[in-house]
């Protein structure tokens, strides 16, 4: 059950700290006092969308915290173990923090989030006419949780396999119409014999060869003076010979001859090194043309197929090859996929039928119990039928459900949305919640004005029903009806109070005498009216 509630810096609430008790907890207060604000904070704690606009003081974060007391802590051992959470004896503390920047964090025992309470807001009365909600009620009462989990897996598998079959079938139909064109494209791609990474290697080699062509030109130019029929080396050798001849007559010529001969040796060595460079950078003139031709074909196909690399062409080639293979072997492949889908559907249907059987067994009992619970709430002529019909396989199974009601004698059975007033729907929903509450593994349930649209004796009966439900689980009820408020074990009043800076919402637990005064106020609009005070005291008798 909820042991305590803390809310700070949330809308009109500066700070609230309140302790709840077991049994039936009543919350009252004038319209606009802030009861809905408290409920909004609780909804945010349990997963509703967080909006930074609710933060009053933007220099601080907003905090909503609830402490639960666990009647049977061992029942949560598996959950804590599965989610790697630390148990804290018989209590669970849930907290949600909302920062001014809109960031939100949720914790349980300073770790994660868990749902430990059912909050029934006013608009949920309309859910009673919703087929999906009706089915969830039946499944809850039929204990179909485990079967539904198995079915969800089986149905998902079936959907995936059915999609695979349908996509393959459609692809084969398109492929057979395009078979000749696909074959032509594949032959064209196969003709290139592409290899992964080839394009990058060819481009690198082309760039290298293009650079070598320029280098070769300079080497050739450097070799020109020292090669050929008439070159500098031969001319210099002639010069050396001439100087040697002169040395017989001119002594200085011998020195010049020696010097020139030494220079000639160095020049011959340089010429040899240049020749070696020429050999090292020898370029096959046809290789560059060959590479350019190969790259041209690759680029052409890339443009044709709207891709940006040869590797993408290889991927396309493989896909086309796979498509041709599938087209050629399509009937066999499609039959295999169809068999898989049929088998998956068979498994899903088998589980769905088990779920359906349990729903049908539960439906009649639920209709009977609903009549019994609702009859004291002023619906003595209520007739109820839970109509289950077979539908196509869907995410809920094979059942279509419809709650049919007649509230008066000789009235035709009709869907609840077509026959019930707002007050009747409120009473029916309370009856449903009280029945489902027996099956729910929840410590607490919160009703937000579920008694809207009723009064008098019916209101008193609704209070008694909530009081009876509170013997099994904690019930917190927001109400405007004194007949309901009088049934509570504990009574809390929500009110607004002004200070110098702002209007703030507060809540406090009422004493016995304050409860009488609050009920008198609810009855007459005045807490001092003696007749109202007497009537209020009579409600506690």
């Amino acid at each position: 059950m909820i042991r305590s509630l803390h809310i700070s810096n949330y809308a009109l609430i500066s700070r609230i700290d309140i302790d709840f008790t077991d049994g039936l907890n009543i919350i009252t207060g004038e319209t606009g006092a802030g009861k809905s604000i408290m409920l909004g904070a609780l909804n945010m704690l349990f997963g509703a969308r967080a909006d930074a606009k609710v933060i009053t003081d933007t220099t601080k974060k907003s905090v909503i915290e609830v402490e639960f007391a666990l009647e049977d802590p061992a029942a949560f051992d598996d959950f804590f173990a599965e989610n790697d959470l630390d148990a804290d004896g018989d209590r669970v503390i849930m907290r949600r923090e909302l920062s001014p920047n809109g960031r939100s964090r949720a914790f349980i025992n300073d770790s994660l989030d868990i749902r430990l309470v059912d909050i029934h807001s006013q608009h949920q009365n309309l859910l009673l006419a919703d087929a999906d909600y009706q089915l969830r009620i039946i499944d809850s009462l039929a204990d179909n949780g485990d079967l539904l989990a198995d079915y969800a897996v089986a149905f998902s598998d079936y959907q995936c396999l059915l999609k695979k079959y349908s996509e393959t079938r459609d692809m084969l139909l398109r492929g057979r119409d395009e078979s000749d064109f696909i074959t032509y494209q594949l032959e064209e791609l196969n003709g290139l014999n592409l290899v992964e990474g080839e394009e990058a290697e060819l481009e690198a080699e082309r760039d290298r060869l293009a650079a070598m062509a320029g280098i070769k030109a300079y080497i050739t130019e450097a070799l020109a003076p020292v090669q050929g029929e008439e070159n500098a080396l031969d001319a210099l050798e002639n010069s050396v010979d001439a100087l040697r001849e002169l040395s017989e007559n001119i002594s200085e010529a011998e020195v010049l001859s020696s010097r020139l001969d030494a220079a000639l040796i160095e020049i011959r060595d340089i010429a040899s090194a240049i020749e070696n460079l020429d050999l090292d950078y020898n370029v096959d003139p046809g290789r560059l043309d060959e590479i350019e031709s190969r790259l041209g074909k690759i680029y052409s196909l890339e443009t044709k197929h709207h891709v940006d690399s040869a590797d993408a062409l290889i991927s396309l080639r493989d896909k086309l090859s796979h498509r041709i293979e599938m087209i050629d072997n399509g009937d066999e492949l499609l039959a295999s996929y169809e068999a898989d889908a049929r088998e998956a559907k068979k498994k899903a249907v088998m589980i769905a039928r088990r779920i359906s059987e349990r729903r049908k067994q539960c439906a009649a009992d639920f209709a009977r119990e609903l009549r019994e619970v609702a009859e004291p709430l002023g619906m003595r002529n209520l007739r109820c039928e839970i109509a289950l019909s077979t539908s196509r396989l869907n995410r809920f199974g094979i059942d279509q459900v419809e709650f049919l009601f007649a509230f008066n004698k000789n009235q035709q059975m009709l869907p609840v949305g077509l026959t019930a007033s707002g007050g009747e729907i409120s009473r029916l929903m309370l009856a449903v919640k009280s029945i489902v509450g027996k099956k729910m593994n929840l410590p607490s349930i919160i009703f937000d004005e579920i008694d809207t649209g009723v009064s008098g004796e019916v209101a008193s009966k609704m209070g008694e029903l909530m009081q009876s439900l509170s013997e099994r689980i904690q019930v917190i009820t927001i109400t405007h009806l004194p007949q309901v408020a009088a049934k509570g074990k504990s009574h809390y009043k929500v009110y607004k109070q002004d200070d110098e800076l702002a209007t703030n919402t507060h809540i406090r637990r009422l004493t016995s005498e304050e409860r009488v005064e609050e009920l008198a106020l609810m009855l007459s609009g005045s807490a001092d009216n003696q007749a109202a005070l007497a009537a209020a005291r009579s409600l506690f008798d």
Side-chain angles (χ1 to χ4, degrees), residues 314-528:
I314 292 172
S315 178
L316 176 61
R317 179 193 66 193
D318 294 343
K319 288 179 181 178
L320 293 176
S321 179
H322 180 64
R323 288 186 66 182
I324 289 295
E325 182 181 353
M326 290 189 68
I327 292 170
D328 292 342
N329 303 299
D331 292 338
E332 180 180 345
L333 186 64
L334 197 60
S336 174
Y337 288 165
E338 182 179 14
D340 290 342
R342 287 184 182 278
E343 187 61 29
K345 182 180 181 180
K346 182 179 178 181
K347 181 178 179 180
V349 168
M350 180 181 67
I351 300 174
R353 284 174 177 167
R354 291 172 59 192
I355 294 172
S356 181
E357 289 172 4
R358 295 175 70 164
R359 285 170 174 168
K360 290 173 182 176
Q361 292 171 4
C362 172
D365 293 338
F366 173 61
R368 174 187 53 76
E369 189 172 2
L370 186 57
R371 289 193 298 271
E372 293 175 357
V373 175
E375 183 177 351
L377 303 180
M379 290 184 279
R380 297 180 179 82
N381 297 316
L382 176 69
R383 286 179 291 132
C384 174
E385 178 184 343
I386 311 300
L388 285 168
S389 57
T390 302
S391 67
R392 295 180 60 184
L393 198 68
N394 58 69
R395 60 193 179 98
F396 298 113
I398 55 172
D399 294 311
Q400 184 174 338
V401 66
E402 190 170 41
F403 285 14
L404 301 174
F405 294 96
F407 294 90
N408 303 296
K409 292 181 178 180
N410 302 321
Q411 182 181 8
Q412 180 184 358
M413 301 280 284
L414 293 171
V416 64
L418 299 178
T419 185
S421 65
E424 287 169 333
I425 289 180
S426 294
R427 284 175 278 171
L428 278 177
M429 183 58 88
L430 177 59
V432 168
K433 289 281 185 178
S434 67
I435 295 170
V436 175
K438 299 176 184 177
K439 295 281 186 178
M440 292 167 64
N441 186 26
L442 290 173
S444 305
I445 186 169
I446 299 174
F447 291 120
D448 179 21
E449 299 185 22
I450 196 172
D451 47 22
T452 298
V454 300
S455 60
E457 182 183 358
V458 172
S460 181
K461 294 296 183 181
M462 290 186 75
E464 290 174 0
L465 185 55
M466 283 184 264
Q467 188 179 45
S468 175
L469 178 60
S470 72
E471 294 173 1
R472 296 185 295 273
I473 62 175
Q474 181 191 47
V475 177
I476 299 174
T477 299
I478 297 174
T479 183
H480 285 289
L481 300 181
Q483 297 94 328
V484 173
K487 300 297 188 294
K489 178 179 179 179
S490 304
H491 190 152
Y492 305 84
K493 180 170 183 176
V494 178
Y495 60 97
K496 290 194 296 189
Q497 194 171 57
D498 295 338
D499 59 26
E500 295 180 356
L501 300 176
T503 299
N504 292 306
T505 289
H506 301 272
I507 184 172
R508 63 184 179 87
R509 186 175 178 179
L510 302 180
T511 65
S512 297
E513 187 57 32
E514 287 173 335
R515 291 188 67 182
V516 173
E517 294 174 357
E518 177 69 7
L519 263 62
L521 181 64
M522 296 168 70
L523 285 165
S524 68
S526 171
D528 299 325

Side-chain angles (χ1 to χ4, degrees), residues 209 212 281-290:
L209 290 175
M212 286 174 63
Y281 286 87
N282 191 28
V283 179
D284 180 0
R287 177 57 181 165
L288 187 58
D289 292 339
E290 180 183 322

